[in-house]
Amino acid sequence: LGTGGSVKNAINILNLNCLTRLIVVNGDTYDNIDYNEMVNLKSKVNIACLKKNDCSKYNTVTINHNNVIVKFNKKNNGIQNEYVNAGCYYFNGIDFFEKISKTDFSLEDEFASYSKNHEINSFIYNGPFMDIGTPDDFNKMSRIIDKYEDKKL
């Protein structure tokens, strides 16, 4: 169903109403986002963003001085020191999903369309982050966890 279709399906199964506030976290990322701070944002749609040195494997976002995302940029080798989507979203009401007729869709693609007529706020996050969506990154994270567990013993 894609990232968006999966969330929309869960919303329908749980019979959530349009006023429901919702935090969605990608299952293939590690971070330490303060959700209490994130839900204080007033925009209808909010995306956790962090600055990465090497952005070559990420889509980037352009953020204005008010922390509003003004552009969604596709992956591009050589891009450095830009903001990337950290895979955590806060919806202050779920009407974002009601306007989408598709059942199989990407949240990221729909964000780009939605942002043409609505503000999407960025929640600037400066903590740890690791995308573990590929076997190499998953193995890297496993080694980090193993080292942590060894120190605890």
Side-chain angles (χ1 to χ4, degrees):
L1 297 175
T3 53
S6 298
V7 174
K8 185 175 179 181
N9 188 49
I11 288 168
N12 290 334
I13 289 171
L14 296 170
N15 198 28
L16 303 178
N17 70 49
C18 65
L19 298 177
T20 300
R21 299 183 322 157
L22 184 67
I23 293 177
V24 175
V25 180
N26 287 358
D28 62 354
T29 56
Y30 168 80
D31 58 48
N32 192 21
I33 293 172
D34 183 345
Y35 301 118
N36 288 320
E37 191 177 332
M38 191 171 184
V39 299
N40 286 325
L41 300 175
K42 302 301 179 207
S43 296
K44 291 297 250 176
V45 178
N46 305 275
I47 300 175
C49 299
L50 77 149
K51 198 164 248 191
K52 293 288 285 178
N53 289 333
D54 179 8
C55 304
S56 58
K57 69 179 193 173
Y58 303 102
N59 294 331
T60 61
V61 293
T62 304
I63 301 170
N64 72 14
H65 63 280
N66 292 321
N67 286 343
V68 173
I69 298 173
V70 294
K71 188 174 180 192
F72 289 83
N73 309 298
K74 295 292 182 187
K75 292 178 190 174
N76 187 348
N77 285 336
I79 298 290
Q80 295 184 328
N81 298 318
E82 294 291 336
Y83 283 98
V84 301
N85 174 344
C88 180
Y89 318 103
Y90 169 57
F91 297 90
N92 191 359
I94 56 174
D95 54 332
F96 169 87
F97 294 95
E98 292 175 357
K99 295 174 175 55
I100 301 169
S101 60
K102 299 178 265 186
T103 56
D104 180 354
F105 62 94
S106 159
L107 270 179
E108 294 77 12
D109 291 344
E110 292 301 320
F111 287 146
S113 297
Y114 183 86
S115 69
K116 293 176 184 170
N117 298 311
H118 304 86
E119 282 190 357
I120 296 180
N121 195 54
S122 63
F123 173 75
I124 304 301
Y125 169 67
N126 295 310
F129 171 80
M130 182 175 278
D131 179 347
I132 54 175
T134 66
D136 286 343
D137 289 336
F138 178 80
N139 290 331
K140 184 178 177 182
M141 185 64 176
S142 295
R143 288 188 299 273
I144 291 169
I145 290 170
D146 288 345
K147 285 180 186 177
Y148 175 76
E149 287 298 318
D150 289 343
K151 288 179 182 178
K152 282 178 51 178
L153 299 174

